Every structure is written in structure tokens, then in C-alpha cells.
């Protein structure tokens, strides 16, 4: 479904963000990517979305080489995803508007999605008038409104407080189980990577390259966080990050 | 904006206005010169000017010149500033801005009169040239400094270039554009005085020069007050538009 093939990215100023990144994510799989700050995770997502072009190698999504953004893929950003000059409703419906859906069709999809995400009554607020957690849910609403097959997320929860964060992690897990979307989550948090990733890809520091892919078949349960095997998995991930960094 | 806040603002305008009048009055009394009449003398000259319609007709001509000047300047500066977001365009625009902006454009007056005559057109064009740069520099800076992440966010929704301008670059720059226009109103009234002080028999600038030469100081000050009110009025109008259009900035 998502295939990274020998992806290398060098920026014009000479920094090498990624080197020979390879992985393959199956349809309906949920995968976490974790690595130290500045390991090129955001660059990798921008390449997978077709926004940036890799210097070498290629990204293949649903069997097609990525050269421009695909309709199958939605991307959720940590910051800057929402436009402060648009209301919650306008932000959430923007993707549909760009796809040429008319007012009525947009309203139908967005209204039900916003109430599903607990944003009912906040439609006319601006992003700065609602909490961080709500802002992030608006960002999810905008991505989900497009009904994508693949959901890519760039540290979507990292600016949230612990409780809100856990809530949204549960939301993402339920979403994955219900819709069987292919999900790729880039995160800084080991616990989040283990809770949400059926597979956990560990990247090295810059230039980012895949150190290990850890299988995490036990995930998928809301109680997973309290189980012994969860802690074992976190330890395993932590150790592979450490060896990579040194 | 909450009602209380608006009321509070009007009250402080009123108090400040009263304060300025009081200082004016005191100065007029202390100096005791015909060159500085009391506010009351100026006020009656102002009312007389309003009553015979002369002040209104000069004021409206001046207001139109400023309006056309700023409108002409914005209609060129805003699009150029916005498309400077593109690296390729900016490479072309930036050197012009850097070389031409710091020049005092008011010295172009002789050239403009040669090209466009001594009528309204050359007055409007001089105002436009001067505020053009103020608006262009501000708009360009705003569109250049826009975070690339906003553009990425649009691209991830498969937006076209036109969509990006419509949904991101333009709305993000509107507050800066309106601020630039607000500032340019002040500048354009200063230029207005300059361009109306010769070769015309209409406008507040002419009226100032005329009453000065007649040594009619109450009339002179009444015209100055009208000019100040014109600037203040336009400033407030743009501010109101700003508050309405850029609601997201003021929350």
C-alpha cells in the first residue's frame, strides 16, 4: 500500500535529511515511525504525500509512483495545519471544497463529522478560540472528511497535554479498528508509537535511515497500555533508539 | 468588539480632543498673536465655511484625490506584493523595491506634471506613486514571510496554485495590507497638501495657501482642521473595515 524505496533526500543547502529509507506498509496496517528530533520524519511524510520530491528513490502509494498529492492520502499536521483566518467549519470543509463538492454535500459530511468529534456548536469559532485538543480534532475532521484510504500523521498529538493526548490516541485506535484505514503515524513518543503501531519503524538521527522495524502484534486494545507486554515493547523500542543514537 | 470597549474608546477620543483644544486655547491666549487664533474663532470660521458650502466642496475634491490615489496604488501594489510570494517573481520585484523605495518620490513632481499635465490626474498619480511603495513593501514582506507549512497543508489537500492564493496567501496578508493602507492615508494627505498648493483652485491644500496669502488666520486654521478630520475619517473607515474583514486577528 505504502512503499518507500531507497528514499534519499538532500536539500539544496547540502543537508541530507534521509538516506536509503526502505519500508513497506500493507493495506489496513497501522504503522508508527519514531526517531530522534530532526531525523527527517516530516520530510519523509512530505515525500510520501507527493509534496516534496526525493533526491533518489521513490515513494509508491497504492501501486502508483508519487509525483503529486494523491486523493487516497490525507495528511494531518502538528501545527499550521489549520488556517487561523478560517472558522472551524471552513477549515474542516476546505478539502471537500477544493475537490469541488457543493455547499450542501459539504455540509452533510462536515456537520456529522464535527459532531462525531465533539465539535458541535464550535463551527463558527476560529482556531485561536478553541483549545489545542479541539484544534487537533478539527485537523482530523478535515482529513477524515476526504474519506482517505491512507491517513498520514505528523506528530499530531505532540503539543497536547497528557489526558487530551490519551483521549485522542484512543480515538485514533477506534478509528483504525472501525475503518481499517492504512495509518502511518510519526511520533516522538515511545508509548504512543507502541500503542498505535502494529509495526514500529525506528529511524536513526540525521540523515534518517531505518534502524529497525519492530513487530507489535499485541496492540489494538484500549487496555494495552496497562499490560506487561506493552512495557516490554516500549523497552525494546527505547533500546533500539538508544543504540541508534550512540 | 464588546459595546463597553467601544464606548470606552469614544470617551477617550473625546477626552483627548478636549485636552488638545485646551492646550490650543492656552497657547493662543499666551502668545496673543493673530497667527494663532483661539479654537472658538476657528470654529466659527469652520461653521461659516460649512454653511456657504465652500469648505464641503474643497473637502470632497481633496477626499476624492486621496481615495483615487490610494485605490490606484493598492490595485497595483497588492497583486504585485502577493505574487512576490513566488521566488521567480520576487527575484524580479525585490531589486526594484530596494532601489526605488528609499528615494523621496515627491521630487518626481516636475516629471509627472510634464507627462500628465497639471490637472487632477497628475495629483492622483503622485499620491499613488508614493503610497504604492508603502503598500507594496508591506504586502511583499507579508507574502514572503508566510510559513511554508501553510502551503504544504494546502498542497496535501491537492490544492492548485490558484487555491493557494485564494485560501492562504491573500487572506493571510489582508491584515497587513489594510494596516499599510491605514498608514498610507496619513502619507497621502501630506502629499495632498503639497500637490494642491499650486496650479489648482480646488482642494484643501489650495484653500490653505489661499487663506494664508489673505492672512485670514481663522480660515487657514479651519482648513487645517478639515484636513485633519479628513485624515482621521479615512483612518477610522479603514480601521472599521479591518475589524470586520479580519475578525480572526482580533479574537
Amino acid at each position: 500500500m505504502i512503499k518507500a524505496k531507497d528514499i534519499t533526500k538532500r536539500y539544496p543547502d547540502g543537508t541530507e535529511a534521509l538516506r536509503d529509507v526502505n519500508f513497506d506498509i500493507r493495506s489496513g496496517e497501522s504503522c508508527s515511525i519514531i526517531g530522534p528530533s530532526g531525523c527527517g520524519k516530516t520530510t519523509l511524510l512530505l515525500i510520501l504525500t507527493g509534496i516534496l520530491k526525493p533526491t533518489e528513490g521513490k515513494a509508491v502509494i497504492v501501486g502508483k509512483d508519487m509525483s503529486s498529492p494523491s486523493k487516497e492520502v490525507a495528511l494531518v499536521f502538528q501545527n499550521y495545519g489549520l488556517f487561523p483566518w478560517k472558522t472551524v467549519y471552513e477549515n474542516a470543509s476546505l478539502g471537500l471544497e477544493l475537490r469541488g463538492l457543493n455547499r450542501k454535500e459539504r455540509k452533510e459530511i462536515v456537520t456529522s463529522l464535527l459532531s462525531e468529534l465533539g465539535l458541535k456548536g464550535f463551527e463558527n469559532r476560529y482556531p485561536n478560540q478553541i483549545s489545542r485538543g479541539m484544534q487537533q480534532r478539527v485537523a482530523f475532521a478535515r482529513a477524515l472528511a476526504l474519506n482517505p484510504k491512507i491517513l498520514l500523521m505528523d506528530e499530531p498529538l505532540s503539543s497536547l497535554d497528557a489526558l487530551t493526548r490519551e483521549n485522542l490516541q484512543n480515538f485514533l485506535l477506534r478509528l483504525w479498528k472501525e475503518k481499517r484505514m492504512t495509518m502511518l503515524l510519526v511520533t516522538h513518543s515511545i508509548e504512543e508509537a507502541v500503542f498505535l503501531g502494529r509495526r514500529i519503524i525506528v529511524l536513526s538521527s540525521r540523515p534518517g535511515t531505518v534502524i529497525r522495524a519492530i513487530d507489535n502484534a499485541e496492540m489494538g486494545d484500549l487496555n494495552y497500555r496497562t499490560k506487561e507486554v506493552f512495557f516490554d515493547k516500549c523497552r525494546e523500542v527505547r533500546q533500539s533508539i538508544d543504540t541508534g543514537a550512540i | 468588539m464588546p459595546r463597553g470597549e467601544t464606548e470606552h474608546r469614544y470617551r477617550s477620543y473625546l477626552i483627548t480632543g478636549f485636552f488638545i483644544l485646551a492646550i490650543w486655547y492656552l497657547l493662543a491666549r499666551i502668545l496673543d498673536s493673530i497667527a494663532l487664533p483661539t479654537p472658538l474663532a476657528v470654529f466659527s470660521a469652520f461653521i461659516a465655511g460649512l454653511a456657504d458650502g465652500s469648505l464641503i466642496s474643497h473637502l470632497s475634491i481633496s477626499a476624492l484625490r486621496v481615495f483615487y490615489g490610494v485605490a490606484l496604488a493598492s490595485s497595483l501594489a497588492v497583486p504585485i506584493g502577493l505574487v512576490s510570494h513566488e521566488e521567480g517573481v520576487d527575484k524580479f520585484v525585490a531589486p526594484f523595491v530596494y532601489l526605488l523605495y528609499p528615494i523621496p518620490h515627491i521630487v518626481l513632481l516636475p516629471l509627472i506634471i510634464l507627462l500628465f499635465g497639471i490637472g487632477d490626474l497628475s495629483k492622483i498619480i503622485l499620491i499613488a506613486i508614493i503610497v504604492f511603495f508603502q503598500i507594496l513593501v508591506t504586502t511583499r514582506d507579508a507574502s514572503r514571510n508566510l510559513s511554508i507549512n501553510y502551503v504544504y497543508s494546502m498542497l496535501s489537500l491537492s490544492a492548485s496554485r490558484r487555491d493557494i492564493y485564494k485560501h492562504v496567501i491573500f487572506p493571510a496578508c489582508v491584515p497587513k495590507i489594510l494596516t499599510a493602507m491605514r498608514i498610507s492615508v496619513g502619507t497621502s494627505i501630506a502629499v495632498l497638501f503639497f500637490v494642491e498648493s499650486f496650479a489648482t483652485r480646488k482642494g484643501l491644500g489650495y484653500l490653505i495657501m489661499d487663506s494664508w496669502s489673505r492672512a485670514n488666520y481663522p480660515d487657514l486654521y479651519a482648513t487645517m482642521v478639515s484636513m485633519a478630520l479628513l485624515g482621521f475619517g479615512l483612518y477610522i473607515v479603514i480601521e472599521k473595515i479591518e475589524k470586520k474583514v479580519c475578525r480572526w486577528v482580533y479574537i
Side-chain angles (χ1 to χ4, degrees), chain B residues 94-169:
Chain B
F96 278 95
V97 170
Y98 279 88
L99 286 176
L100 297 179
Y101 174 57
I103 296 172
H105 305 104
I106 204 146
V107 300
L108 293 174
L109 181 71
L111 174 69
I112 287 166
I113 286 179
L114 275 176
L115 290 175
F116 301 102
I118 54 168
D120 274 339
L121 185 62
S122 59
K123 296 178 180 25
I124 290 168
I125 285 179
L126 191 65
I127 292 175
I129 287 179
I130 290 169
V131 299
F132 169 81
F133 280 96
Q134 291 184 345
I135 298 171
L136 175 63
V137 168
T138 318
T139 313
R140 173 189 170 265
D141 286 356
S143 78
R144 296 290 300 164
N145 291 331
L146 194 70
S147 167
I148 184 74
N149 291 306
Y150 285 132
V151 176
Y152 286 157
S153 179
M154 280 301 278
L155 286 175
S156 79
L157 298 168
S158 355
S160 69
R161 186 156 288 212
R162 207 180 129 251
D163 292 329
I164 294 175
Y165 275 94
K166 183 177 161 201
H167 292 283
V168 174
I169 297 173

Side-chain angles (χ1 to χ4, degrees), chain A residues 18 28 36 55 64 70 81 90 110 129 132 157 173 179 195 210 216:
Chain A
L18 299 166
T55 317
K64 273 188 291 192
S70 153
E90 288 166 346
V110 173
Q129 292 175 302
R132 285 266 194 183
L157 310 180
L173 189 69
K179 308 213 169 172
F195 183 69
V210 177
N216 184 26

Side-chain angles (χ1 to χ4, degrees), chain A residues 19-183:
Chain A
R19 183 184 291 169
D20 290 329
V21 174
N22 279 294
F23 57 78
D24 196 345
I25 299 164
R26 287 183 300 277
S27 176
E29 192 179 20
S30 160
C31 177
S32 308
I33 294 186
I34 190 164
S37 304
C39 70
K41 294 177 297 219
T42 302
T43 305
L44 180 61
L45 281 189
L46 292 174
I47 289 174
L48 292 178
T49 340
I51 293 172
L52 288 182
K53 295 203 172 14
T55 317
E56 284 158 40
K58 62 179 175 182
V60 183
I61 303 276
V62 208
K64 273 188 291 192
D65 287 9
M66 284 306 279
S67 52
S68 61
S70 153
K71 291 205 168 171
E72 320 281 0
V73 183
L75 178 56
V76 177
F77 293 82
Q78 176 195 352
N79 294 317
Y80 295 109
L82 300 181
F83 301 117
W85 48 87
K86 288 184 181 288
T87 61
V88 165
Y89 180 86
E90 288 166 346
N91 266 294
S93 67
L94 181 60
L96 296 174
E97 190 182 341
L98 295 178
R99 288 204 180 162
L101 269 73
N102 68 35
R103 203 172 284 269
K104 197 170 151 255
E105 293 166 320
R106 297 203 297 261
K107 190 162 178 138
E108 218 164 278
I109 298 172
V110 173
T111 309
S112 76
L113 200 54
L114 285 179
S115 72
E116 212 177 298
L117 285 164
L119 291 162
K120 200 177 171 147
F122 292 92
E123 290 88 348
N124 294 321
R125 301 284 189 97
Y126 286 92
N128 288 336
Q129 292 175 302
I130 57 177
S131 70
R132 285 266 194 183
M134 289 177 116
Q135 288 174 17
Q136 208 54 57
R137 275 182 277 159
V138 178
F140 280 116
R142 186 170 76 191
L144 296 174
L146 299 170
N147 199 16
K149 289 205 177 81
I150 300 173
L151 187 61
L152 304 179
M153 293 167 278
D154 187 7
E155 297 179 32
L157 310 180
S158 64
S159 57
L160 305 178
D161 63 89
L163 280 178
T164 315
R165 189 171 183 151
E166 213 156 277
N167 259 327
L168 278 172
Q169 287 170 356
N170 292 348
F171 160 74
L172 281 176
L173 189 69
R174 279 196 301 269
L175 186 77
W176 177 65
K177 289 172 78 172
E178 275 166 29
K179 308 213 169 172
R180 285 290 153 186
M181 253 181 245
T182 310
M183 298 209 307

Side-chain angles (χ1 to χ4, degrees), chain B:
Chain B
M1 191 164 35
R3 178 180 287 272
E5 206 174 312
T6 319
E7 269 172 18
H8 178 76
R9 251 182 57 168
Y10 285 138
R11 199 181 311 141
S12 56
Y13 281 157
L14 221 64
I15 292 169
T16 312
F18 184 76
F19 192 65
I20 292 171
L21 285 177
I23 291 177
W24 178 0
Y25 179 77
L26 282 177
L27 272 177
R29 273 303 163 97
I30 292 164
L31 291 176
D32 193 26
S33 151
I34 53 156
L36 187 61
T38 61
L40 206 65
V42 172
F43 184 69
S44 60
F46 183 72
I47 295 296
L50 287 183
D52 70 10
S54 62
L55 205 49
I56 297 281
S57 79
H58 287 291
L59 181 72
S60 51
I61 284 168
S62 289
L64 274 181
R65 286 170 178 160
V66 168
F67 175 80
Y68 284 131
V70 174
L72 178 63
S74 328
S75 64
L76 294 170
V78 169
I80 297 175
L82 289 177
V83 294
S84 296
H85 178 75
E86 313 288 326
E87 202 59 54
V89 176
D90 191 59
K91 251 186 216 155
F92 186 75
V93 171
F96 278 95
V97 170
Y98 279 88
L99 286 176
L100 297 179
Y101 174 57
I103 296 172
H105 305 104
I106 204 146
V107 300
L108 293 174
L109 181 71
L111 174 69
I112 287 166
I113 286 179
L114 275 176
L115 290 175
F116 301 102
I118 54 168
D120 274 339
L121 185 62
S122 59
K123 296 178 180 25
I124 290 168
I125 285 179
L126 191 65
I127 292 175
I129 287 179
I130 290 169
V131 299
F132 169 81
F133 280 96
Q134 291 184 345
I135 298 171
L136 175 63
V137 168
T138 318
T139 313
R140 173 189 170 265
D141 286 356
S143 78
R144 296 290 300 164
N145 291 331
L146 194 70
S147 167
I148 184 74
N149 291 306
Y150 285 132
V151 176
Y152 286 157
S153 179
M154 280 301 278
L155 286 175
S156 79
L157 298 168
S158 355
S160 69
R161 186 156 288 212
R162 207 180 129 251
D163 292 329
I164 294 175
Y165 275 94
K166 183 177 161 201
H167 292 283
V168 174
I169 297 173
F170 181 63
C173 294
V174 164
K176 292 276 169 58
I177 293 170
L178 286 171
T179 305
M181 286 173 74
R182 204 146 42 97
I183 294 168
S184 72
V185 163
T187 314
S188 58
I189 288 184
V191 179
L192 182 77
F193 170 66
F194 179 66
V195 295
E196 284 184 343
S197 58
F198 64 93
T200 181
R201 297 188 64 80
K202 283 175 190 149
L204 294 174
Y206 160 75
L207 211 52
I208 286 180
M209 296 310 282
D210 182 57
S211 37
W212 191 17
S213 66
R214 286 186 287 110
N216 186 338
Y217 292 103
D219 269 6
L220 173 66
Y221 281 87
T223 319
M224 286 183 185
V225 168
S226 316
M227 219 169 198
L229 288 177
L230 172 63
F232 184 69
L234 290 172
Y235 191 90
I236 295 291
V237 167
I238 298 180
E239 197 188 56
K240 285 264 184 262
I241 296 175
E242 210 173 325
K243 287 260 156 67
K244 199 165 174 86
V245 178
C246 311
R247 220 157 58 79
W248 59 277
V249 179
Y250 299 97
I251 45 166

